[in-house]
Amino acid sequence: MADAKFTQNTSSCHSLQALTALPTLKPVLFFDPAANTLDLVDTATHRLGAAQKLLELTASCHMQDADNQALGVVSEAAYLLLSDGYDLFQALAARALEPATEH
């Protein structure tokens, strides 16, 4: 992830939304659906791109040579990344259906 930018935002988040891929009964990972539109798009795109790279890796390997445990790990990681990206784009879609306001 040499090209990834990691930042820490200390702004207060007024209405957080839980990510839907949960290994527990209660969510612990949240995002701000009211965040800047471009920030949401960039974050979703980054996750979807990472998932695409993982799936390209599995698509290019020969299944008879594949390690079943490794494929399971890659599949789970791709699922989590796709789920996060989908949640972010769903928040953007919901925002697009709201009456016009500045974001």
Side-chain angles (χ1 to χ4, degrees):
M1 284 204 278
D3 60 342
K5 297 181 293 181
F6 296 97
T7 59
Q8 184 175 1
N9 186 347
T10 57
S11 66
S12 64
C13 296
H14 45 76
S15 61
L16 298 178
Q17 182 175 325
L19 294 172
T20 57
L22 302 174
T24 60
L25 294 176
K26 294 182 181 180
V28 295
L29 294 175
F30 299 85
F31 71 96
D32 182 4
N36 177 279
T37 299
L38 290 178
D39 290 341
L40 287 173
V41 169
D42 286 347
T43 302
T45 302
H46 184 82
R47 281 166 169 65
L48 294 175
Q52 181 183 24
K53 289 175 187 174
L54 283 172
L55 294 174
E56 284 174 355
L57 177 68
T58 60
S60 66
C61 76
H62 297 286
M63 287 303 166
Q64 63 270 22
D65 298 334
D67 176 355
N68 287 336
Q69 184 177 4
L71 286 176
V73 170
V74 169
S75 296
E76 183 176 10
Y79 166 75
L80 291 171
L81 291 165
L82 289 169
S83 180
D84 288 359
Y86 179 80
D87 290 346
L88 293 165
F89 277 124
Q90 284 294 102
L92 287 164
R95 182 187 296 177
L97 297 174
E98 293 174 357
T101 58
E102 287 189 39
H103 289 284

